[in-house]
C-alpha cells in the first residue's frame, strides 16, 4: 500500500496538471523526501539482479533508514552520481543475443521516484489512445479500442508503421526540450541528464551514446512515452487529424501504433508524412516493415477480408460471425505462435530429467501465462494448438527417459496425462 503522504502529493500534482494543462512545474524536486524515496524503494522489485556495485534489495533494506537518509542528503546537495548500467547478454531462440541493462539499486530508487513525479504531471495530459506503460491500462484495452474504432468509424485503411530501434534512437536534446515544456525543475532535469549520459559497462568497457533512454532504467518508459506523446500523439490530434477528409483514429502501445482511416486519400497522406515527421526527431519509420493495408469490410455473404495486419502479437482480420455477418477477429500472430511452440519443445527437452510433478507445475504455469495474454475471444483454436503441442512435447521428452526411448500414447495418458493434467485452453478476455 502506498504511503498516504506520497499518494496525496502525487494526487495534488496530477490535479494541478489536469486543471491547467499549460502549467509548467518549476519546483518538484523538494518532494523527493526520505519518505518519498522509501515509497520508491518499496516499488522496486526485491528479486532484481544487482548493478555494478553488487548491492541487493535485501542488503539495502537491512539498514534502510540510514541508506535513504544518506541518499537524500546527496540528492539535496546535488552530488548524487548516476553510475553506469551493467550490461548482460541473453540468448534468444533464433541464435542472436539481446542486451539487458541492469542499473544499481540506488539508481532504481531515484529513477522510480522521479518517474512517479513525472507520471503525476503527464498522466492527465497523455491521450486516451495511448496505452503502454501507463497505470490502469493494458495491451488488451488497446486491442479492444482498436477493434471498436475500426467497426464504429467504418475504417477501410490501416497504416501499420514500424519504428526502427525506437528506445535506442531517442535524441537526448529533443527529449530534454520536450520534458522542459512541462517540467523546468533544474534538479530533475540534471538527474535525467545524468542518467542519459551514464553509459553502459559491457565486459569492463564503458560505452556512451547521445541517443537512447537508459537501458533497463525504470525512468525509460515514462521518458519514451513523453517523446512519442509529442512526436506522434499531439501531432495527430492537433495537426494531422483536422486536415483529413474522413474519419481517423490512432492507437498506441509504447512504440507500437496503428492508424486507421476511412478514406484512402487520407491513409496515403498519413503514410507518406510519417517518415518525414519522425525523421525530424531522429527516428526512422522502417521502409519495408511499414505498410498501407486495405482493411475493408467484405461485401456479400462470400469471400474473405481484403487484408490483415498485426498489432500486439495478434493478426487482425475480417471473418463471419455465427449469424452470418462480418466482424473483426484476432488470432495469435504466426511468428509468435511458432516461437511459443519452439520454446515449449526446448523447455521440455532441457528439463526432461526433472521430477514429473515439478515439470507439471512449471508447464502448467507457462500455459496459464500464455492463456492470460492470448486467451481472447475468437482465438480458441490457436490456444488448442499450443495445448496439444505441450502434450506431444511432454510425451516425447518423457519417453526419452525410458529404455526404449519413447512412451506410447496409451501409457502416457494413463500414467502422466490423467495424474498430472495440464490446464486446458480458456478465453480470459472478451475484448
Amino acid at each position: 500500500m502506498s504511503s498516504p503522504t506520497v499518494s496525496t502529493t502525487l494526487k495534488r500534482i496530477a490535479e494541478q496538471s489536469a486543471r491547467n494543462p499549460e502549467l509548467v512545474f518549476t519546483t518538484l524536486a523538494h518532494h523527493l523526501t526520505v519518505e518519498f524515496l522509501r515509497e520508491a524503494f518499496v516499488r522496486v522489485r526485491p528479486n532484481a539482479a544487482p548493478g555494478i556495485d553488487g548491492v541487493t534489495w535485501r542488503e539495502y533494506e537491512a539498514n534502510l533508514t540510514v541508506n535513504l537518509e544518506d541518499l537524500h542528503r546527496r540528492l539535496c546537495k546535488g552530488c548524487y552520481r548516476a553510475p553506469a548500467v551493467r550490461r548482460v547478454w541473453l540468448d534468444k531462440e533464433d541464435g542472436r543475443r539481446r542486451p539487458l541493462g541492469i542499473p544499481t539499486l540506488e539508481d532504481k530508487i531515484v529513477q522510480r521516484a522521479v518517474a512517479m513525479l513525472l507520471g503525476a504531471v503527464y498522466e492527465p495530459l497523455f491521450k486516451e489512445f495511448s496505452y503502454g506503460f501507463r497505470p490502469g491500462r493494458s495491451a488488451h484495452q488497446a486491442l479492444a479500442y482498436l477493434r471498436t474504432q475500426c467497426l464504429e468509424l467504418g475504417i477501410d485503411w490501416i497504416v501499420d508503421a514500424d519504428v526502427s530501434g525506437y528506445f535506442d534512437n531517442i535524441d537526448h536534446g529533443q527529449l530534454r526540450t520536450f520534458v522542459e515544456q512541462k517540467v523546468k525543475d533544474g534538479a530533475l532535469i540534471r538527474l535525467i541528464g545524468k542518467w542519459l549520459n551514464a553509459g553502459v559497462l559491457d565486459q569492463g568497457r564503458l560505452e556512451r551514446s547521445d541517443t537512447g533512454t537508459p537501458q533497463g532504467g525504470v525512468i525509460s518508459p515514462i521518458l519514451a512515452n513523453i517523446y512519442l506523446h509529442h512526436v506522434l500523439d499531439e501531432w495527430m490530434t492537433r495537426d494531422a487529424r483536422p486536415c483529413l477528409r474522413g474519419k481517423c483514429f490512432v492507437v498506441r502501445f509504447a512504440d507500437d501504433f496503428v492508424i486507421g482511416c476511412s478514406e484512402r486519400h487520407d491513409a496515403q497522406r498519413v503514410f507518406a508524412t510519417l517518415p518525414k515527421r519522425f525523421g525530424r526527431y531522429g527516428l526512422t519509420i522502417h521502409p519495408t516493415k511499414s505498410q498501407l493495408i486495405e482493411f475493408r469490410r467484405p461485401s456479400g455473404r462470400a469471400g474473405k477480408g481484403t487484408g490483415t495486419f498485426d498489432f500486439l502479437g495478434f493478426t487482425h482480420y475480417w471473418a463471419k460471425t455465427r449469424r452470418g455477418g462480418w466482424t473483426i477477429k484476432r488470432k495469435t500472430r504466426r511468428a509468435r505462435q511458432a516461437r511459443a511452440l519452439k520454446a515449449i519443445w526446448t523447455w521440455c527437452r532441457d528439463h526432461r530429467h526433472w521430477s514429473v510433478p515439478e515439470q507439471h507445475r512449471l508447464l502448467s504455469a507457462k500455459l496459464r501465462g500464455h492463456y492470460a495474454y492470448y486467451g481472447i475471444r475468437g482465438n480458441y483454436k490457436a490456444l488448442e494448438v499450443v495445448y496439444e503441442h505441450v502434450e506431444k512435447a511432454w510425451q516425447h521428452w518423457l519417453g526419452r527417459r525410458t529404455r526404449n526411448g519413447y512412451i506410447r500414447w496409451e501409457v502416457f495418458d494413463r500414467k502422466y496425462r490423467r495424474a498430472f493434467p495440464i490446464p486446458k485452453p480458456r478465453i480470459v478476455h472478451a475484448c
Side-chain angles (χ1 to χ4, degrees):
M1 182 179 295
S2 300
S3 163
T5 304
V6 174
S7 297
T8 301
T9 298
L10 295 176
K11 183 179 179 181
R12 186 169 63 251
I13 295 172
E15 289 174 349
Q16 288 178 317
S17 182
R19 189 165 53 248
N20 185 3
E22 303 301 321
L23 177 66
V24 178
F25 291 82
T26 57
T27 55
L28 287 174
H30 68 280
H31 292 301
L32 297 178
T33 62
V34 173
E35 184 177 3
F36 204 96
L37 294 173
R38 189 186 302 273
E39 176 65 25
F41 170 79
V42 172
R43 298 190 186 190
V44 174
R45 287 194 302 114
N47 58 345
I52 60 174
D53 60 358
V55 178
T56 65
W57 195 92
R58 297 298 178 190
E59 292 171 347
Y60 201 87
E61 183 193 32
N63 204 11
L64 182 59
T65 301
V66 173
N67 288 331
L68 292 180
E69 288 176 349
D70 177 63
L71 176 59
H72 179 254
R73 177 186 58 81
R74 283 179 281 143
L75 288 172
C76 290
K77 290 186 176 181
C79 59
Y80 175 80
R81 298 184 63 184
V85 175
R86 179 169 70 93
R87 175 181 286 168
V88 296
W89 293 88
L90 302 179
D91 294 328
K92 298 178 68 174
E93 297 166 4
D94 57 6
R96 296 181 297 174
R97 296 198 302 165
R98 179 171 67 89
L100 178 67
I102 306 177
T104 63
L105 178 64
E106 271 198 345
D107 223 21
K108 293 177 183 177
I109 296 171
V110 183
Q111 287 190 31
R112 175 63 68 189
V114 174
M116 289 158 60
L117 290 174
L118 292 180
V121 171
Y122 276 96
E123 267 302 310
L125 306 177
F126 285 153
K127 304 301 181 182
E128 79 283 358
F129 53 77
S130 172
Y131 289 89
F133 305 129
R134 296 183 60 188
R137 290 175 170 248
S138 67
H140 295 97
Q141 290 176 336
L143 290 167
Y145 179 84
L146 167 62
R147 184 174 183 272
T148 300
Q149 293 295 300
C150 283
L151 292 173
E152 292 183 354
L153 300 183
I155 298 301
D156 291 338
W157 297 89
I158 293 292
V159 177
D160 183 12
D162 182 271
V163 185
S164 300
Y166 172 62
F167 289 91
D168 295 330
N169 290 292
I170 293 178
D171 183 85
H172 290 175
Q174 293 280 5
L175 176 60
R176 290 193 190 96
T177 300
F178 289 152
V179 174
E180 288 176 356
Q181 290 181 17
K182 287 299 299 179
V183 178
K184 283 195 175 180
D185 187 311
L188 291 191
I189 298 300
R190 283 191 294 272
L191 279 174
I192 293 174
K194 289 178 180 181
W195 292 319
L196 294 176
N197 297 316
V200 176
L201 194 64
D202 188 357
Q203 298 179 346
R205 185 177 69 255
L206 182 62
E207 301 176 1
R208 286 192 172 94
S209 174
D210 57 359
T211 60
T213 55
Q215 273 199 16
V218 294
I219 193 72
S220 293
I222 182 68
L223 293 180
N225 259 347
I226 292 172
Y227 204 79
L228 271 188
H229 172 72
H230 288 274
V231 174
L232 176 67
D233 301 353
E234 282 200 328
W235 171 71
M236 280 295 303
T237 304
R238 183 185 62 243
D239 300 327
R241 187 181 288 169
C243 297
L244 302 180
R245 295 185 301 192
K247 296 179 180 179
C248 172
F249 80 91
V250 186
V251 59
R252 180 172 70 83
F253 192 91
D255 62 325
D256 197 357
F257 66 93
V258 163
I259 301 173
C261 299
S262 60
E263 301 288 339
R264 179 175 183 173
H265 176 269
D266 292 341
Q268 291 174 332
R269 189 175 179 183
V270 171
F271 188 67
T273 308
L274 275 177
K276 302 173 186 177
R277 173 68 183 179
F278 276 67
R280 189 181 305 170
Y281 298 97
L283 300 174
T284 303
I285 299 294
H286 200 289
T288 57
K289 293 183 179 179
S290 303
Q291 52 185 334
L292 180 61
I293 302 160
E294 185 179 6
F295 196 65
R296 195 183 306 275
R297 182 193 297 266
S299 58
R301 300 184 58 84
K304 295 182 178 180
T306 52
T308 67
F309 65 95
D310 297 326
F311 182 64
L312 297 181
F314 292 91
T315 296
H316 301 250
Y317 63 101
W318 284 99
K320 283 288 187 70
T321 65
R322 291 183 177 179
R323 296 183 178 181
W326 289 101
T327 190
I328 297 173
K329 293 187 178 182
R330 287 74 52 87
K331 60 183 178 182
T332 307
R333 184 181 177 184
R334 181 178 298 179
R336 293 283 186 94
Q337 185 86 333
R339 187 171 69 186
L341 299 182
K342 182 178 179 181
I344 288 294
W345 186 269
T346 302
W347 190 92
C348 290
R349 180 196 66 194
D350 295 342
H351 299 83
R352 62 185 182 275
H353 298 302
W354 284 18
S355 67
V356 173
E358 187 67 9
Q359 288 188 50
H360 170 260
R361 184 180 69 83
L362 288 178
L363 278 175
S364 298
K366 288 178 180 294
L367 270 179
R368 282 192 291 267
H370 187 86
Y371 300 156
Y373 186 78
Y374 292 103
I376 69 174
R377 185 174 56 187
N379 197 38
Y380 191 84
K381 289 184 179 180
L383 302 183
E384 277 188 322
V385 171
V386 175
Y387 171 80
E388 293 170 359
H389 180 81
V390 169
E391 287 193 328
K392 292 177 181 178
W394 202 22
Q395 175 196 1
H396 176 84
W397 289 108
L398 283 178
R400 298 298 292 268
R401 306 194 326 178
T402 66
R403 181 180 302 176
N404 295 329
Y406 70 93
I407 297 178
R408 289 185 297 111
W409 176 257
E410 294 79 7
V411 177
F412 172 76
D413 181 53
R414 182 182 69 253
K415 190 175 181 180
Y416 299 106
R417 187 169 177 266
R418 298 181 186 178
F420 301 96
I422 58 177
K424 292 186 177 181
R426 68 188 188 96
I427 299 302
V428 181
H429 307 280
C431 61

